[in-house]
Amino acid sequence: MAPTRKHQVSVIGSGNWGSTIGKILAENTAEHSDTFEKDVRMWVFEEDIKVPSDSAHHDKYGDEPQKLTKVINETHENVKYLPGIKLPSNLIATPDIKEAVKDATILVFNLPHQFIDKTLDQIQGHHLPYARGISCIKGVDVSDGTVTLYSERIMEKLHIYCGALSGANIAPEVAAERLCETTIGYDPPPMDLTSEDGAPKDNLIKVDVQRQKERKPTSIKLERVPQDLPHVNGELLEKLFARPYFFVHVVKDVAGVALGGALKNVVALAAGFVAGKGWGENTKAAIIRQGVGEMIRFGRTWFPSSVNEKTFTEESAGIADLVASCYGGRNVRSATHAVEQGVSVGEIEEKEMNGQKLQGVSTAQVVYDFLDKHGKTEDFPLFCAVRNIIEGKKQVDDLPALLSKKK
Amino acid sequence: MAPTRKHQVSVIGSGNWGSTIGKILAENTAEHSDTFEKDVRMWVFEEDIKVPSDSAHHDKYGDEPQKLTKVINETHENVKYLPGIKLPSNLIATPDIKEAVKDATILVFNLPHQFIDKTLDQIQGHHLPYARGISCIKGVDVSDGTVTLYSERIMEKLHIYCGALSGANIAPEVAAERLCETTIGYDPPPMDLTSEDGAPKDNLIKVDVQRQKERKPTSIKLERVPQDLPHVNGELLEKLFARPYFFVHVVKDVAGVALGGALKNVVALAAGFVAGKGWGENTKAAIIRQGVGEMIRFGRTWFPSSVNEKTFTEESAGIADLVASCYGGRNVRSATHAVEQGVSVGEIEEKEMNGQKLQGVSTAQVVYDFLDKHGKTEDFPLFCAVRNIIEGKKQVDDLPALLSKKK
């Protein structure tokens, strides 16, 4: 049966990365009108903003507070979170989450991880049961001795299949259309395969969401994407996300894609520590190499059936994002400053980031707790060294001894 | 039979990297006196030098020309090529190559590649037929449609087995004992295995030196290391090369180790090109990732039986050396300047390097010629783009289209 309907795409979240992904989606739905409805809806957490005085749109609005959605839809620019970037006119901002997800067959999640649970609660019951999701939320949730991918959280809460997108994707650089790449992890449920690939006949199948070894599975029922819609597979996702400046590689390894985006921040702190000491390029490269090794070991230990080592060593979500984060960004910069100034990373967070917390610091701590709980700290000397240096229990000068195989 | 003799180690070459490796070797032979003779000989291409006026040793020698070997042996410093670094007193400089190789059971080659052939000619017939070699010579020789590793060249000329050492090892940083790593490729000839590992009984076996597919093999006869000497295996090489600040990983893949050190320079030029455009961290990370991919493909295509992909993705000789070279060093710097100033890389070589040639430029050209001869340019879009940008046939702005999978 040839598809007669088109996919309706919505993006949930409108920060700088959400707006950038919204721009890409809308560019592609306009270009592939055979497959997608042209308009892309973008859910915006509504706020009253003042258009900045240096904005080209300041004249129009003056200093009067405005609804962010109104300004986006009138100016086609997210003047607050992605200023200076023209958004496609078919990217439609909406403050109403129910409106945003209604009829959407593809939901792209792109919001800070601390808002995901509350947002999913608001979506529940208002989305199509056969929608498919892509999570662009960086990181993983580690607590209580378990690692949860945000894509799994979405599956458990909304009972829809969800993949993950991650890569060396600093939002303003992607928005400026500078050459870069990303990785999408998407392992379609069996019912979404073509009949030649052995799709089952059922419209509803039970799936166990259980990626991390030892974790108790959550059973959910997945509904088939109706056959009058185009197949949601790697090819379709490339059509939706790839641009001439944004290369997309689709892999099956959802867990590896998500883990790469989380663990890289710990390695970036280590890279900052040795840079702060002035130890040079050799040392930073050694830290990156050891970091990749521990990322692989982490994946292999807790996601043995799903993780593919190549996600870490050959994909944008792995090595490329790691390298970019070890040479640019807040984690490496703050760690460098801490060592140069002889203060703790915490003091740098206070001083340079108005108390905002570095992603790498919290990840290093939760990863350490997780490893400790499983009695595996010795297998991850770099990850643990970073946490111990943050805590003041070890010094950067201890790194050679801590990383040496000879104990 | 327990070994009753000790290995005599010599290093051939005394530039900044040769002197640094000499320092490491002499530190280790002094520490492991059960396995090695304490004194390490270092062959120095003799020259008359003036001790620089800012040297701590200038007072002793004044402005009178001195023999470099004499100054090294009296001051334990290579004042010309590695100034400011104290060398161990058991590292003995000699200008006489025959003297340097006489009785040496382990020969470490560390000199610029353009001198290797002439030096090997001088060694022929004066070395022990059962010596084993390690080549620290960066790069590979590509000509006439074949790729020759310098370790193979040594095997063919001296009829001794030779491995390779490479990694993210900027010499002054290693000499300053800053934390770093290296990779040694060593695949011992069967006769050097222990009897449990299935060593043949022969003292002399014929070996075909033929690593690159399609290349005509050279047959050489290898002589067994006498059994009164310690086994030359990975463990012994770690003892000889590893220091608390210099981690060593021994792998079997000699070809991968050598190829990594050559091909990285081509990728470093590409990294410089995009940096010169101001394209940011995402783009540089994408270039590195694509570069690793083409390095793997190169190895897989022409050294299918010997190359292990992990050498490129997980070893210091692969990803770490590549990353270090894409963020520091002459190739990336010169390419950046060329783009920033809107001139060719050749003009930068003239202007900033007194006409000295960049390693990456010649490698890009010979690799292109090699690929072209084998009809494989399309499989290596990044390598070929670098050569074409150098030649002025393509622009840096063409990179997104050149690297896109969609043609």
Side-chain angles (χ1 to χ4, degrees), chain B residues 217-270:
Chain B
T218 313
S219 279
I220 63 169
K221 281 213 168 148
L222 283 183
E223 198 167 311
R224 184 196 292 273
V225 177
Q227 303 213 357
D228 58 352
L229 276 168
H231 269 301
V232 185
N233 54 16
E235 201 187 331
L236 181 129
L237 293 173
E238 267 208 44
K239 239 185 202 176
L240 185 56
F241 285 95
R243 298 296 301 153
Y245 55 86
F246 191 62
F247 299 170
V248 170
H249 194 201
V250 183
V251 300
K252 284 191 180 301
D253 176 13
V254 183
V257 167
L259 286 172
L263 298 173
K264 61 152 195 173
N265 290 319
V266 181
V267 185
L269 288 175

Side-chain angles (χ1 to χ4, degrees), chain A residues 168 170 173-174 178-179 181 247-248 279 281-283 285 289-290 309-310 314-316 320 323 327 400, chain B residues 168 170 173 178-179 181 247-248 279 281-283 285 289-290 309-310 313-316 320 323 327 400 405:
Chain A
I170 298 163
E173 295 184 12
V174 182
R178 288 189 186 139
L179 174 62
E181 303 179 312
F247 299 170
V248 170
W279 286 355
E281 296 302 335
N282 290 352
T283 311
R289 197 199 68 83
Q290 296 238 359
E309 296 184 13
K310 291 192 175 182
E314 297 185 22
E315 294 299 332
S316 182
V323 166
Y327 285 92
Chain B
I170 298 163
E173 294 184 12
R178 288 188 186 140
L179 174 62
E181 304 179 312
F247 299 170
V248 170
W279 285 355
E281 296 302 334
N282 290 352
T283 311
R289 197 199 69 83
Q290 297 238 359
E309 296 185 12
K310 291 191 176 184
T313 58
E314 297 185 21
E315 295 300 330
S316 182
V323 166
Y327 285 92
K405 283 176 295 179

Side-chain angles (χ1 to χ4, degrees), chain B residues 164-178:
Chain B
L165 179 150
S166 184
N169 301 145
I170 298 163
E173 294 184 12
V174 183
E177 304 192 358
R178 288 188 186 140

Side-chain angles (χ1 to χ4, degrees), chain A residues 6-270:
Chain A
K6 301 175 186 182
H7 281 288
Q8 172 69 56
V9 181
S10 289
V11 53
I12 309 302
S14 59
N16 68 353
W17 186 216
S19 301
T20 302
I21 283 290
K23 169 178 179 290
I24 288 173
L25 296 170
E27 284 169 0
N28 279 326
T29 57
E31 232 167 65
H32 303 289
S33 56
D34 51 330
T35 310
F36 305 105
E37 296 293 343
K38 189 174 174 191
D39 284 356
V40 171
R41 275 168 297 177
M42 176 166 75
W43 175 65
V44 176
F45 181 82
E46 187 69 293
E47 46 185 315
D48 287 322
I49 60 148
K50 276 191 193 170
V51 176
S53 57
D54 59 354
S55 168
H57 305 292
H58 183 261
D59 280 359
K60 179 174 169 143
Y61 297 98
D63 285 330
E64 283 305 298
Q66 305 287 332
K67 298 282 177 209
L68 179 54
T69 50
K70 178 171 174 278
V71 177
I72 292 175
N73 287 331
E74 287 175 359
T75 65
H76 305 298
E77 184 180 322
N78 187 335
V79 295
K80 177 152 187 193
Y81 295 108
L82 194 63
I85 300 292
K86 182 89 185 156
L87 300 174
S89 58
N90 58 323
L91 180 67
I92 317 291
T94 170
D96 180 347
I97 188 112
K98 289 173 198 155
E99 177 66 25
V101 302
K102 195 186 86 176
D103 302 333
T105 57
I106 297 178
L107 289 165
V108 180
F109 297 89
N110 199 329
L111 67 177
H113 66 91
Q114 60 270 30
F115 302 134
I116 183 71
D117 276 329
K118 201 181 144 211
T119 309
L120 292 175
D121 287 343
Q122 294 173 338
I123 293 174
Q124 260 176 351
H126 299 282
H127 64 293
L128 291 175
Y130 56 79
R132 295 293 178 252
I134 294 290
S135 159
C136 307
I137 302 160
K138 279 269 172 173
V140 293
D141 184 62
V142 189
S143 54
D144 268 349
T146 65
V147 178
T148 307
L149 316 179
Y150 291 112
S151 55
E152 294 175 49
R153 185 72 57 83
I154 293 165
M155 285 200 266
E156 288 171 347
K157 285 243 184 187
L158 302 187
H159 292 202
I160 63 173
Y161 178 76
C162 187
L165 178 151
S166 184
N169 300 145
I170 298 163
E173 295 184 12
V174 182
E177 304 191 359
R178 288 189 186 139
L179 174 62
C180 71
E181 303 179 312
T182 204
T183 314
I184 295 177
Y186 196 82
D187 193 8
M191 63 209 323
D192 279 6
L193 301 172
T194 60
S195 50
E196 300 94 76
D197 289 337
K201 290 237 155 34
D202 314 9
N203 273 334
L204 212 60
I205 59 168
K206 211 186 99 191
V207 170
D208 284 342
V209 180
Q210 180 204 32
R211 289 185 178 269
Q212 186 208 313
K213 217 177 70 180
E214 303 149 2
R215 225 188 75 188
K216 204 162 150 269
T218 313
S219 278
I220 63 168
K221 280 212 168 149
L222 283 182
E223 197 167 312
R224 184 196 291 275
V225 177
Q227 305 214 356
D228 59 351
L229 276 168
H231 269 302
V232 184
N233 55 14
E235 201 185 332
L236 180 129
L237 292 173
E238 267 208 44
K239 238 184 202 177
L240 186 56
F241 285 95
R243 298 295 301 152
Y245 55 86
F246 191 60
F247 299 170
V248 170
H249 194 202
V250 183
V251 300
K252 285 191 180 298
D253 176 14
V254 183
V257 168
L259 286 172
L263 298 173
K264 61 151 195 174
N265 290 319
V266 181
V267 185
L269 288 175

Side-chain angles (χ1 to χ4, degrees), chain B residues 267-302:
Chain B
V267 185
L269 288 175
F273 292 147
V274 300
K277 282 274 172 187
W279 285 355
E281 296 302 334
N282 290 352
T283 311
K284 201 184 242 193
I287 292 293
I288 290 172
R289 197 199 69 83
Q290 297 238 359
V292 177
E294 293 192 13
M295 285 162 75
I296 293 172
R297 197 173 303 140
F298 194 96
R300 205 193 274 150
T301 308
W302 284 288

Side-chain angles (χ1 to χ4, degrees), chain B residues 22-38:
Chain B
K23 170 178 179 289
I24 288 173
L25 296 170
E27 285 169 358
N28 279 327
T29 56
E31 233 168 64
H32 302 289
S33 56
D34 52 331
T35 311
F36 306 105
E37 296 292 344
K38 189 174 173 191

